[in-house]
Amino acid sequence: MLPTLTTGVVVSESLTVLAEVDSRENVESNPSIKYFICLIISVRYDFRQIYCSCQLKLSVEYYIIMKRTIFILSLLLFQSCLKPEEAQNKFQIVSSMGATLEKQYSAIPHISVEDFQALDKDSLILVDNRSTPEIEISYIPNSVTKEVFEENLPNYHGKKIIVYSTIGNRSSKYVHILKDKNIDAYNLKEGILGWAHRKLPLLSSGKETKRVHVYTDAWNFTPEGYEGVYK
């Protein structure tokens, strides 16, 4: 069976690569970096499809159809990179991003929002691995900052440590560090964006809010009725 390629998957991998850019300021001050990353992903998928066509011995006509499809998807990709807030399938994109990160960080355990909700809250500590400006916009109830967590680490012995960030990239990296210290840590898949898409409560200074810091405009895939903040 021919592997399927969806716009959501392509966009999610583009944004995952974007997450690896160490300096957010560099991306914000030079948007061409972001668009170039999108182009790289488009080309990478082009080569993957070429490989698939060779492996499956597809006809030349079918390969031409695939090339045209890739071109259309590339246009859709650039549109998503330029105006993510206008995307029609935001939840699918967020889910694809979470799934991509789970594969990328396969050496650590991940937990879905649904499975997290089913856990006994007395048995876990929820850690917010984002920056202070992001947390000031909103946070998941009953979470503690990374700084508070590390200051009180001995008090959390025997508890599951669930870490979240915007979509899961930074939290996955931190979970990897914690696992190396033999701490029972997990990444919350899809991060605060996935939490928002399930219409679960967010707080700001103890009051409910529908504002979410999305780290960069390229990740502004907040659900309808929510405001994505990135400045």
Side-chain angles (χ1 to χ4, degrees):
M1 181 180 294
L2 180 67
T4 57
L5 178 60
T6 66
T7 305
V9 171
V10 180
V11 172
S12 72
E13 290 223 5
S14 301
L15 298 177
T16 300
V17 174
L18 179 60
E20 296 301 326
V21 179
D22 291 331
S23 175
R24 175 189 167 201
E25 289 73 18
N26 287 342
V27 177
E28 296 295 345
S29 62
N30 188 2
S32 62
I33 295 177
K34 179 171 57 183
Y35 308 146
F36 181 65
I37 290 171
C38 293
L39 179 61
I40 290 173
I41 298 299
S42 298
V43 173
R44 185 168 75 178
Y45 267 100
D46 192 358
F47 283 125
R48 286 186 186 178
Q49 294 286 28
I50 293 173
Y51 174 76
C52 289
S53 67
C54 292
Q55 288 293 96
L56 299 175
K57 299 181 180 179
L58 299 177
S59 65
V60 174
E61 291 78 12
Y62 199 92
Y63 174 67
I64 292 174
I65 293 174
M66 288 198 305
K67 290 283 291 183
R68 290 174 179 172
T69 301
I70 292 168
F71 175 74
I72 293 173
L73 287 171
S74 297
L75 293 179
L76 292 172
L77 171 61
F78 281 117
Q79 181 184 33
S80 296
C81 288
L82 290 168
K83 298 182 179 180
E85 67 276 4
E86 296 180 5
Q88 299 298 313
N89 56 343
K90 294 180 182 179
F91 181 68
Q92 179 187 349
I93 293 173
V94 169
S95 297
S96 296
M97 290 166 70
T100 299
L101 286 168
E102 184 175 13
K103 292 178 181 178
Q104 181 178 342
Y105 296 98
S106 59
I108 65 168
H110 302 259
I111 185 170
S112 67
V113 172
E114 290 76 15
D115 288 343
F116 166 77
Q117 288 185 291
L119 293 175
D120 178 7
K121 298 305 180 286
D122 292 332
S123 67
L124 62 85
I125 297 296
L126 181 60
V127 180
D128 192 330
N129 192 40
R130 301 173 302 146
S131 67
T132 298
E134 293 172 272
I135 295 172
E136 288 175 348
I137 297 299
S138 64
Y139 54 88
I140 297 176
N142 301 314
S143 61
V144 300
T145 65
K146 175 183 175 181
E147 291 72 25
V148 170
F149 167 70
E150 293 182 345
E151 289 173 3
N152 297 276
L153 189 55
N155 298 331
Y156 303 137
H157 180 72
K159 292 184 179 290
K160 290 182 182 294
I161 309 302
I162 314 297
V163 187
Y164 75 91
S165 55
T166 305
I167 188 63
N169 186 66
R170 287 175 290 172
S171 50
S172 292
K173 291 178 179 178
Y174 187 50
V175 167
H176 199 286
I177 293 173
L178 296 178
K179 295 297 288 185
D180 286 343
K181 297 179 180 179
N182 296 317
I183 295 175
D184 189 20
Y186 303 77
N187 171 58
L188 182 65
K189 285 181 61 176
E190 303 171 19
I192 198 169
L193 272 177
W195 185 272
H197 270 280
R198 290 164 176 81
K199 304 301 174 67
L200 296 170
L202 293 170
L203 300 179
S204 178
S205 299
K207 297 180 180 180
E208 284 205 28
T209 182
K210 289 192 175 181
R211 303 180 76 217
V212 183
H213 201 296
V214 294
Y215 188 72
T216 172
D217 61 333
W219 286 7
N220 193 11
F221 293 106
T222 50
E224 184 177 354
Y226 285 71
E227 177 189 355
V229 179
Y230 49 85
K231 294 182 179 179

